[in-house]
Amino acid sequence: MSNREYKSDVFSMLMEYPEYALDVYKALGGRSDAKPSMVEIKTLEKGISLSVRNDAAFIIDTELSLYEHQSTYNPNMPLRSLIYLAEILKPMVKNKDLYSKKLIKIPKPKFVVFYNGEDDRPEKEIQKLSTAYSHAGDSKDSIELTCTVYNINPDKNNDLKKLSYVLDGYMTLVNKVRELKSADKDYDRENEDVVKEAVEYCIDNHILEEFFRERGSEVVKNMTIDMTFETRQKLFTKEAYEDGIAEGKEEGKAMLLKAMLKDGTITIEKAAEYADMSVDELKKVIED
């Protein structure tokens, strides 16, 4: 069961637009003369696998950019990126003769992660696949894959955000939601109202205005679902820990969804959407 975070949804939505993907690409030092018409989206579609779906992948010229968002630190991004790359390359070489004497050309991949979680992380760090190798000896003849992780929280990588109105606008929305939630001392405001106000703030201040006018309702829906899930998850985890059953329980997510369904926090359809499953698949997981 995947753990789709609301911020990741918004980032994925933004990266569906060639002009927005291009903006981030250029901010990271990509071709300055590239145009939106040159962007070929390659992001894995929802449904290929319950666990294999990346946030953004696109080709410009001979370079394949794979971007991921991260609001919780994850040291497994190189491994995940390797899987994404393999899945993206499969259809690209489907009709090629891999046993031919002719070299098959593929685009050069570049792996980037944008971190905006609330844990204190470095401004920039490099994650390596080799770190995950069980045997840390001689790495000769072993594959290496590196991901560059950029912390895009306030006061981190400000120069990068100045170069990208998309990253800057995206973080403006996230920070506005955090600000409004923090100001709600009595927790009496509905998550939906908070997200709506943050989206309206962005529109009023001409921050990714066209995007939020076009897809604002979708942003509100996704963020509300996941914020509700996160809030319920925190409460559930606290209760479970106090009951002495939290540690070592991988089935926690299924238990959480079951609890949310029972108390009406979420519908079976929304729970299935969150889990990237069909309703029937989710019912089987919950019933097990």
Side-chain angles (χ1 to χ4, degrees):
M1 197 179 301
S2 64
N3 184 15
R4 297 188 300 115
E5 297 158 355
Y6 69 84
K7 294 175 281 297
S8 182
D9 275 335
V10 178
F11 182 77
S12 299
M13 289 165 62
L14 285 165
M15 292 298 100
E16 292 172 8
Y17 295 78
E19 61 269 33
Y20 294 157
L22 184 62
D23 169 79
V24 178
Y25 165 84
K26 288 184 177 180
L28 292 171
R31 285 182 52 180
S32 60
D33 62 340
K35 297 178 174 56
S37 60
M38 298 169 62
V39 178
E40 183 182 355
I41 303 295
K42 290 291 184 180
T43 303
L44 296 172
E45 294 296 329
K46 177 179 178 180
I48 288 180
S49 165
L50 293 179
S51 60
V52 181
R53 182 173 183 246
N54 64 312
D55 285 343
F58 56 90
I59 294 176
I60 295 180
D61 196 12
T62 58
E63 183 173 276
L64 171 62
S65 297
L66 293 99
Y67 297 163
E68 285 290 306
H69 158 271
Q70 195 179 81
S71 66
T72 303
Y73 176 71
N74 186 335
N76 298 308
M77 283 311 306
L79 178 58
R80 285 169 53 181
S81 296
L82 179 63
I83 296 171
Y84 300 151
L85 177 62
E87 291 295 327
I88 289 170
L89 289 179
K90 279 182 183 178
M92 295 176 64
V93 300
K94 183 178 180 180
N95 298 318
K96 304 287 186 180
D97 183 1
L98 297 179
Y99 297 94
S100 170
K101 292 183 179 180
K102 183 178 180 181
L103 181 66
I104 297 173
K105 296 285 189 176
I106 61 173
K108 178 183 178 181
K110 181 177 182 180
F111 306 96
V112 175
V113 178
F114 299 103
Y115 172 80
N116 71 345
E118 298 187 48
D119 290 337
D120 185 24
R121 300 298 307 173
E123 188 165 59
K124 179 180 177 180
E125 55 188 311
I126 304 296
Q127 293 182 339
K128 295 184 177 182
L129 181 64
S130 58
T131 305
Y133 292 160
S134 298
H135 179 62
D138 186 3
S139 60
K140 183 180 179 181
D141 299 327
S142 298
I143 187 173
E144 182 62 285
L145 186 154
T146 60
C147 291
T148 303
V149 183
Y150 294 94
N151 188 335
I152 55 174
N153 274 301
D155 300 323
K156 301 285 188 180
N157 283 299
N158 288 334
D159 289 341
L160 174 62
K161 285 178 286 187
K162 286 179 182 177
L163 292 174
S164 171
Y165 71 92
V166 173
L167 289 179
D168 188 57
Y170 163 61
M171 282 308 299
T172 297
L173 174 72
V174 172
N175 291 328
K176 191 63 180 177
V177 170
R178 288 175 177 169
E179 175 190 323
L180 293 170
K181 288 298 291 183
S182 177
D184 184 21
K185 301 297 184 183
D186 297 323
Y187 302 100
D188 57 354
R189 294 191 64 187
E190 295 292 335
N191 286 331
E192 183 176 359
D193 294 333
V194 170
V195 180
K196 280 183 178 178
E197 184 175 338
V199 170
E200 289 168 1
Y201 172 86
C202 290
I203 292 174
D204 292 343
N205 288 276
H206 312 294
I207 298 165
L208 294 174
E209 181 177 0
E210 184 177 352
F211 170 77
F212 286 120
R213 286 191 183 280
E214 178 184 345
R215 301 187 68 178
S217 59
E218 190 177 350
V219 169
V220 171
K221 181 190 74 172
N222 287 335
M223 291 183 77
T224 300
I225 289 173
D226 289 347
M227 286 174 68
T228 301
F229 189 96
E230 288 174 357
T231 300
R232 186 65 180 84
Q233 186 176 34
K234 289 177 182 177
L235 291 174
F236 181 86
T237 301
K238 182 176 183 295
E239 293 166 0
Y241 184 81
E242 289 174 348
D243 290 340
I245 63 172
E247 294 184 282
K249 294 287 186 178
E250 270 302 315
E251 66 271 23
K253 290 180 183 177
M255 293 169 64
L256 173 57
L257 281 174
K258 186 182 294 185
M260 292 175 71
L261 287 167
K262 185 177 180 180
D263 65 18
T265 303
I266 195 170
T267 65
I268 186 68
E269 290 79 15
K270 292 301 181 186
E273 179 183 342
Y274 185 93
D276 282 337
M277 293 181 175
S278 69
V279 170
D280 288 340
E281 287 173 329
L282 180 59
K283 284 181 178 177
K284 289 181 181 178
V285 170
I286 292 175
E287 291 170 359
D288 287 345

